[in-house]
Amino acid sequence: GLEPDYALPDLIIPGRPERSEPGQAEFVQTPADYLKETSFTRLAAQGKKLAEQHRAILAAIEKEFGVPPQIVLAIWGRETAFGGYQLPLDAIRTLATQAYVGRRKDMFRSEFLAALRMLQDGVPRAQMRSSWGGALGLTQFLPSEFYKYAVDFDGDGRADIWTSVPDALASAAKQLAGKGWQRGKTWAVEVRVPANIDCTIADPDNAMPVLEWLKRGYVPAHGGIMSPQQLAETASLLMPAGTYGPAFLIFKNYHVIKDYNFSDLYVLFVGHLADRIAGEQPFRVSWQPVMQLHTKQLEEMQRRLSALGLYKDKIDGKAGMRTRLALGAYQKAKGLKLDCWPTIAVLANMQGKTGN
């Protein structure tokens, strides 16, 4: 009785024209839309209550895996609104469809087989509800990750990432630890940047000690004094909205969270929500409203930047870090306004329709 679900996004169906996909919010929404203060206020209030409610469990998780309570709570809050969001799809059907006609068939075939193994090992089919990408449970695990990282932390003899908060949060912590989480260290620090900044230096390959960033005029936005250990840490600069929003010095733990979900906006949401649960303040610099180009427009921009040798990543129609950096290099070369954000005006310039 297993039939394909052709309503899923990210499919290539033979004989049917490719459709414009809504995609994941992390990749199609602007920073201002995705990182709403109302969301942080609401989720941080819930997170603080849950931190108190599960204090002993969270302390035990941190002791074993080195991941602080606010981080695993923030992942839980982002993924399923602390369990308030019910995953809508049947995981088996979803994974089978993605393995059959999805854009990433090989990956989903492996995940489909792992999901069948979960059924064989006794996980009820009714419990295997998922997102369109096949992720399961309170903190959204792919089936392969379940077998790598799922933990029985409540001692009942089984790893239950669906209904056991201790198991789900400990599993998320084990996954972060497995990806290289550094105990006792932060993920990022918001900074105020110097006037007339060259936004193309916001490159993960451009890393230097925090002390060197401070000497160059980058100031912690929330004030305070950084410890000698923090000043010696290596960091790179992130400007997720180009010059139209906050800037951050990001550390190793930033990249660990990004390995959990490969989106800068996702990492910023989780990291900032964690900070807010821990009592920190909102972003000091506001996210300015910017227009997000359509996927096809961004794909054309990426192809043109690639042809010029400025962009060497995949053509995916997403305004990611590499796309923004390549765009900034183009703006510099053409003497355009340097803001590292893809706009219709810059695309028109690439198309030879305008000199501005």
Side-chain angles (χ1 to χ4, degrees):
L2 194 61
E3 296 181 353
D5 180 358
Y6 289 131
L8 295 173
D10 219 28
L11 305 181
I12 303 175
I13 304 171
R16 297 192 191 182
E18 285 194 47
R19 63 186 185 214
S20 179
E21 305 289 3
Q24 287 177 252
E26 295 93 342
F27 296 111
V28 297
Q29 289 185 352
T30 66
D33 289 335
Y34 188 81
L35 300 164
K36 288 184 181 295
E37 176 56 26
T38 51
S39 299
F40 289 121
T41 301
R42 174 175 49 83
L43 289 171
Q46 288 179 264
K48 288 174 182 178
K49 291 177 182 176
L50 290 165
E52 188 60 37
Q53 180 182 339
H54 300 288
R55 178 188 292 271
I57 289 293
L58 290 164
I61 289 172
E62 182 173 21
K63 182 178 180 181
E64 180 156 347
F65 301 109
V67 181
Q70 64 268 25
I71 291 289
V72 289
L73 285 170
I75 288 174
W76 184 20
R78 174 65 262 178
E79 295 292 1
T80 59
F82 302 117
Y85 172 68
Q86 301 302 309
L87 296 167
L89 302 172
D90 171 62
I92 300 299
R93 185 185 186 198
T94 297
L95 290 166
T97 304
Q98 293 286 4
Y100 178 50
V101 287
R103 293 179 185 272
R104 295 171 289 169
K105 292 184 179 69
D106 290 343
M107 184 200 93
F108 279 111
R109 283 175 184 146
S110 297
E111 296 300 338
F112 177 59
L113 292 173
L116 295 181
R117 180 182 166 195
M118 291 172 74
L119 291 178
Q120 181 176 285
D121 289 345
V123 177
R125 172 79 177 271
Q127 200 167 49
M128 295 185 65
R129 307 298 297 174
S130 78
S131 63
W132 69 262
L136 309 151
L138 294 175
T139 55
Q140 291 280 270
F141 266 42
L142 287 169
S144 62
E145 294 166 339
F146 177 83
Y147 283 105
K148 277 186 185 176
Y149 301 115
V151 177
D152 170 23
F153 210 72
D154 61 13
D156 68 353
R158 66 191 187 98
D160 175 7
I161 61 171
W162 297 272
T163 63
S164 169
V165 171
D167 289 7
L169 298 188
S171 298
K174 183 178 180 182
Q175 184 173 3
L176 290 172
K179 294 178 184 298
W181 183 269
Q182 295 187 331
R183 185 185 291 262
K185 294 187 177 181
T186 190
W187 65 283
V189 173
E190 185 186 351
V191 290
R192 295 190 185 277
V193 301
N196 302 317
I197 182 175
D198 177 351
C199 53
T200 62
I201 71 168
D203 184 336
D205 294 333
N206 180 33
M208 62 183 99
V210 171
L211 184 58
E212 185 60 34
W213 285 107
L214 297 187
K215 287 178 180 176
R216 297 185 184 197
Y218 296 81
V219 181
H222 291 272
I225 299 173
M226 302 183 76
S227 69
Q229 180 190 26
Q230 289 174 316
L231 293 173
E233 281 194 58
T234 298
S236 56
L237 183 68
L238 175 74
M239 300 181 72
T243 59
Y244 301 113
F248 305 86
L249 292 181
I250 58 175
F251 305 96
K252 166 69 175 175
N253 284 343
Y254 179 96
H255 299 286
V256 173
I257 302 173
K258 191 169 182 178
D259 208 8
Y260 198 99
N261 181 311
F262 196 75
S263 158
D264 289 310
L265 293 187
Y266 177 90
V267 183
L268 285 168
F269 195 105
V270 166
H272 186 63
L273 177 56
D275 288 349
R276 298 290 289 275
I277 291 171
E280 298 293 334
Q281 298 300 308
F283 296 118
R284 284 297 172 95
V285 175
S286 298
W287 298 99
Q288 297 179 41
V290 290
M291 189 184 79
Q292 182 76 284
L293 294 184
H294 294 299
T295 299
K296 295 296 183 186
Q297 293 171 314
L298 280 165
E299 286 176 349
E300 181 182 351
M301 184 174 280
Q302 288 172 331
R303 280 192 289 270
R304 289 177 179 275
L305 290 168
S306 181
L308 292 169
L310 299 174
Y311 179 71
K312 297 180 172 63
D313 213 331
K314 59 185 176 181
I315 307 299
D316 60 5
K318 297 168 183 173
M321 184 187 299
R322 293 298 177 190
T323 300
R324 298 193 306 271
L325 289 172
L327 173 66
Y330 178 86
Q331 291 172 323
K332 285 175 71 173
K334 295 293 183 178
L336 304 176
K337 178 184 178 182
L338 182 57
D339 59 13
C340 298
W341 186 259
T343 64
I344 196 71
V346 180
L347 180 58
N349 183 278
M350 292 178 178
Q351 295 166 332
K353 295 178 181 178
T354 175
N356 296 323

